[in-house]
Structure formats: structure tokens, C-alpha cells
Amino acid sequence: MDPEQRPIGWWVKRLDTLLDEAVDAVVAGEELTRRHWQVLHSLAEGSVHEPALHATLADFGAPGELAVVVADLIGRGWAMSGGGVVSLTADGTLAHDRVSRAVGRVRRHVADGLSRQEYERTVLVLSRMVENVERALGRR
């Protein structure tokens, strides 16, 4: 099939697969996965109630998978949990900063050759498509 004839779903799925591979590759040295990065990055924004963390990342893995990742980060001493709230430790903040630089390189590669306006427009278009499908499914 000619690449221009592929539907949007193919491109979205392919990009997500490649993003998984690219992030997994740059965080592998820390024995992390993209899911670890997503949790670590979410926690870097501040303490989060566990249900909210799971809701935020629900599209990126099964609840059991995310619970395993959180437990792993706690086991590393990078996160702590108490009263249903998960937060980064000082070591977790340092790890986030270190891993963030590597993930930043992936993000720059993804946007290579795109102007800031093209990137922002692409995100806007994709967000509208998500809203359209959610509305059609009765989720909004």
C-alpha cells in the first residue's frame, strides 16, 4: 500500500510503537521502560493520589502493570507512598532529571524537520480527532 493511502489509525499506531521502542532504548541503561518514564515524569510534577495517577496513565497500560511500575520505583527508593499518595524522593528527582535529558533527545528527534507551528498544529489536530471519537462513543 502506498504510504499516502494509509489511514490515520495506522500512522498513530505506528508512531506509538516507535515511541515505545525509542524511549525504551534510551531508558534501558537505567533498567526502565517507557511506562516507568511516564510514571516518573507524572510524579515529577508533584505528589499524586494513586487513583489519579492510574487514571492519568490508564491509556498506557493495565492497572496491574502500572502498579508494578510504581512498586518498582518505590523499591528503587525513587518514590514513596503513604496515605494513598505517591511522590518522588530526592533520589527519584535526580533520576527523573537524568532520564529526562535522554527522553528529551527522543522528543527532539520526533519533531525533527517540523516547525514549532507544525508540531503544535499536529497535536491540535490529533486532540480534536480524539474528542470527535470520544463524542461519537458517548464519552463526552
Side-chain angles (χ1 to χ4, degrees):
M1 176 182 281
D2 186 7
E4 288 84 32
Q5 294 177 342
R6 290 191 171 129
I8 188 79
W10 186 92
W11 289 108
V12 170
K13 183 68 175 166
R14 182 69 181 139
L15 179 58
D16 186 57
T17 298
L18 291 170
L19 287 172
D20 268 343
E21 290 176 23
V23 173
D24 283 350
V26 299
V27 300
E30 297 272 357
E31 297 182 9
L32 301 174
T33 65
R34 183 179 180 197
R35 301 301 164 255
H36 282 88
W37 165 248
Q38 290 165 331
V39 172
L40 193 64
H41 192 59
S42 294
L43 295 176
E45 296 174 4
S47 299
V48 181
H49 284 90
E50 285 193 53
L53 179 64
H54 288 278
T56 298
L57 299 174
D59 289 337
F60 298 103
E65 178 188 10
L66 293 174
V68 169
V69 169
V70 170
D72 182 58
L73 294 175
I74 291 170
R76 292 168 185 255
W78 292 1
M80 59 186 168
S81 179
V85 175
V86 183
S87 56
L88 287 183
T89 64
D91 286 345
T93 299
L94 291 173
H96 172 267
D97 293 346
R98 187 172 57 249
V99 174
S100 181
R101 288 188 292 277
V103 172
R105 288 190 297 273
V106 171
R107 289 180 175 162
R108 286 189 296 278
H109 289 302
V110 168
D112 192 32
L114 300 174
S115 69
R116 190 171 95 200
Q117 292 81 10
E118 288 173 315
Y119 181 86
E120 289 171 357
R121 181 74 180 154
T122 299
V123 171
L124 177 65
V125 168
L126 289 171
S127 72
R128 284 187 186 162
M129 293 173 111
V130 166
E131 290 172 6
N132 291 343
V133 175
E134 286 176 338
R135 189 173 33 260
L137 292 171
R139 294 185 183 165
R140 283 201 160 213

